[in-house]
Structure formats: C-alpha cells, structure tokens
Amino acid sequence: MAENHDKDFEEGRKFFEFGNFEVAEDFFSELVEEVAPGDPRWALYRSWLGLTRAMQNDRGGLVLCRLAVKEGGTGPELHHNLARAERKFGNVSKALRVIEEGLSAYPDDPPLLDLLQRYDRRRPLSISWLRRDHPLNRWLGVVSFRWHRYQRKKRQVE
C-alpha cells in the first residue's frame, strides 16, 4: 500500500512540475484522504496539495501549507512549499521568514538556500567582508542605491 502511495506521490509531483496542477491536485487529494493524519507522510502530502491549490490561485492552498508546517510536519520540503505558496500571493516577507525557519532546522538544504537567494530583496554588500549593519556598508549602500536610481531615471528620459 505504501509503495502505491509513493508511486502516486511521484506521479503527482511530475504533473505539478509540468504545470498540470489540476491532475496533480487529484493525486495529492487522494493521498491525503487515504493516509491517516498520524502518518508522517500525511503532512507532506497535505503540503503538496496546498501548494498545488495555491498555484491555481486558491487561498485555501496557502492555509493547507501553513497547517502542514504548524501541526508538526517535519522536513525541509514543507517549508519550501509554504514559502512558494506565500510568494505566490505576494507575501515576500512571510516567505523569507518561512525560509529562515526552515534553514534554522535544515541549514544545508539546497532547495531552501536556492529560494532564499531568489527571494531575498537585499542587494549584495558593498564591502563583503564587513557586516551588513556596519556604518560604512550602510552608507555605501545608500549612495550606490541612489546612484543606480539616478541612472535608471536618466535612461528613461533619453
């Protein structure tokens, strides 16, 4: 039976990756119904169901992802899915918070590190070997931001 669940899970993920969210939702819904809430895989299946629904602009999917993480689900994939769902609805700050929480538990998880890099709104440090809050880095950051903004406006006028 568990073997069948693994096959269905992989099929659902394949459909998800191809962007066929309706079919992926069918697979994940079936898995959530068949697996008991005490099963460790239940939170994972619920998380994927939530992300699939979120990709279809269903806010209920975001709630499912949040519940999967909140109710004690383990694994970096739950945080990854929740961060993607939060980002889908424009909650960048919440997505970054979720990624940081996931990285505190799973510091070397490549998908979470990749998401952090893609979603982080901060620009690179002016002087990389100084802390971000160092006064020189802060001052150079403000100056470079203003310079780049000035250059963009100048190009728009031309």
Side-chain angles (χ1 to χ4, degrees):
M1 195 73 159
E3 184 179 299
N4 191 28
H5 290 159
D6 293 339
K7 279 184 181 178
D8 287 348
F9 180 65
E10 288 306 315
E11 285 294 314
R13 286 185 59 168
K14 284 180 188 175
F15 281 108
F16 181 90
E17 295 303 322
F18 286 124
N20 193 342
F21 302 124
E22 294 83 12
V23 176
E25 181 180 1
D26 291 340
F27 276 100
F28 296 133
S29 293
E30 195 173 303
L31 286 168
V32 167
E33 289 173 12
E34 289 179 4
V35 175
D39 191 314
R41 296 171 300 171
W42 186 71
L44 179 64
Y45 298 157
R46 195 172 183 196
S47 173
W48 274 99
L49 175 60
L51 180 59
T52 303
R53 288 183 179 168
M55 291 307 199
Q56 298 175 75
N57 296 318
D58 178 358
R59 285 202 172 272
L62 180 57
V63 172
L64 283 175
C65 287
R66 287 177 180 165
L67 288 173
V69 171
K70 185 179 180 181
E71 293 177 352
T74 58
E77 208 166 357
L78 301 180
H79 294 277
H80 184 266
N81 289 349
L82 176 55
R84 288 178 67 185
E86 293 284 5
R87 174 81 164 139
K88 170 71 175 159
F89 290 107
N91 304 330
V92 179
S93 298
K94 286 183 181 180
L96 287 170
R97 198 171 320 123
V98 167
I99 293 168
E100 288 170 1
E101 288 170 9
L103 286 173
S104 68
Y106 310 98
D108 299 326
D109 185 58
L112 283 175
L113 291 169
D114 180 51
L115 275 185
L116 180 63
Q117 186 176 17
R118 286 192 300 161
Y119 292 175
D120 196 2
R121 291 181 270 176
R122 297 182 298 187
R123 296 165 20 133
L125 296 172
S126 298
I127 302 174
S128 61
W129 47 270
L130 285 177
R131 293 183 329 271
R132 186 171 292 279
D133 63 345
H134 190 279
L136 184 58
N137 248 346
R138 291 176 58 90
W139 183 80
L140 287 171
V142 168
V143 169
S144 72
F145 174 77
R146 289 180 181 164
W147 174 255
H148 288 292
R149 185 175 59 187
Y150 169 76
Q151 293 296 320
R152 271 196 314 269
K153 286 183 180 179
K154 188 176 169 185
R155 274 184 292 212
Q156 288 174 352
V157 171
E158 295 174 348

